[in-house]
Amino acid sequence: MALNNTYDARLVQQETAVGAGVQILLLALLGTAIGMGPAGWLTGLAFAVATWAVLSRALHRTQPRSFGPANRVTLGRSILVGGVTALVADSFQSSPPVTLFVGLTAVALILDGVDGKVARRTGTSTPLGARFDMEVDAFLILVLSVYVSMSLGPWVLLIGGMRYAFVAAARVWTWLNAPLPPSTARKTVAALQGVFLLLAASGLLPYALEFAVVATALGTLVWSFGRDVLWLFRTSRVEAVLVEDVRELVAG
């Protein structure tokens, strides 16, 4: 039994290594196609190494019996996000081909709706898979925010940074770590962020409409986060009152 577990662990780790290898291959293809500079190469390689290291550590900690089909889809999305990240880093020196940039980003966004369905249909949903999916989504939005901010201004970075600000705040106010109830509105707002940012990044819209689209994305995101924070705060207060009431009953 121990041998089987060791074999499975090695097989899972091999998949992350293959993912890193495919990431480097994609960077090589991008470098050949557009003559990517050092900034793009270094950023892309750093993304590949960081993804491999973090994912390998998470797999070692959770020890799943297999990597799973849904995680393979998410890993594929992560590879595309790594390519987009490299292009954005390279764009500080020269703008990437719009078709290539939009194509990679669009496929990554489309696949965002695939891994969850695969997990549910195959019965392979796991907390690690959900977290992996969420982190890939969040990082893509951050990268797109950086790219769009170069034309619209630094305020766009609020879109990409909001989720990370929430995580940082949760380290101080622990009540923010409580689980949230499922919400279609939250999922819709999250999905629209990537679509709106991609529209702005495509250069197909006039400046005024581009500004309006991104401002709408930010407005809906602020509303979504604000609603969730308010719900968490109210819930924490109710729980605090209940705990205090129980203590008074026990003491009395």
Side-chain angles (χ1 to χ4, degrees):
M1 186 66 180
L3 290 176
N4 288 335
N5 287 336
T6 302
Y7 174 78
D8 288 341
R10 290 177 180 176
L11 188 61
V12 167
Q13 294 295 338
Q14 285 173 4
E15 299 215 33
T16 63
V18 169
V22 175
Q23 179 74 82
I24 294 172
L25 177 60
L26 176 60
L27 294 175
L29 292 174
L30 293 176
T32 302
I34 67 172
M36 194 162 58
W41 269 105
L42 290 174
T43 303
L45 290 172
F47 180 90
V49 172
T51 301
W52 171 81
V54 173
L55 187 55
S56 294
R57 180 181 178 184
L59 290 168
H60 179 73
R61 185 174 63 251
T62 57
Q63 296 184 348
R65 293 191 60 81
S66 66
F67 193 64
N71 284 335
R72 292 189 186 100
V73 175
T74 308
L75 182 59
R77 266 198 317 122
S78 175
I79 291 168
L80 294 175
V81 172
V84 173
T85 302
L87 291 177
V88 170
D90 196 60
S91 70
F92 285 93
Q93 297 178 335
S94 60
S95 298
V98 175
T99 303
L100 179 61
F101 180 82
V102 171
L104 284 178
T105 306
V107 174
L109 290 173
I110 291 170
L111 288 177
D112 184 26
V114 174
D115 45 12
K117 292 181 180 178
V118 171
R120 288 188 292 272
R121 290 181 179 179
T122 58
T124 55
S125 298
T126 63
L128 173 61
R131 181 64 182 273
F132 185 24
D133 176 55
M134 181 174 62
E135 295 300 339
V136 172
D137 291 343
F139 195 80
L140 177 58
I141 298 304
L142 176 62
V143 170
L144 291 176
S145 298
V146 171
Y147 185 75
V148 176
S149 71
M150 288 188 278
S151 59
L152 293 184
W155 62 272
V156 183
L157 296 174
L158 292 172
I159 296 176
M162 199 169 299
R163 189 257 170 182
Y164 295 100
F166 180 86
V167 172
R171 293 181 176 273
V172 179
W173 298 291
T174 54
W175 50 268
L176 289 171
N177 291 310
L180 287 162
S183 170
T184 301
R186 185 190 308 118
K187 293 179 180 179
T188 302
V189 169
L192 286 176
Q193 300 306 306
V195 175
F196 285 171
L197 287 171
L198 181 57
L199 279 174
S202 68
L204 298 175
L205 304 177
Y207 181 85
L209 187 54
E210 186 178 302
F211 187 96
V213 165
V214 178
T216 300
L218 177 58
T220 57
L221 192 62
V222 169
W223 169 80
S224 181
F225 268 95
R227 188 184 67 155
D228 286 344
V229 169
L230 183 59
W231 186 91
L232 289 169
F233 177 75
R234 288 175 173 173
T235 302
S236 69
R237 299 302 299 171
V238 170
E239 291 178 351
V241 170
L242 290 175
V243 169
E244 186 63 29
D245 288 344
V246 170
R247 287 177 178 174
E248 289 180 358
L249 287 173
V250 172

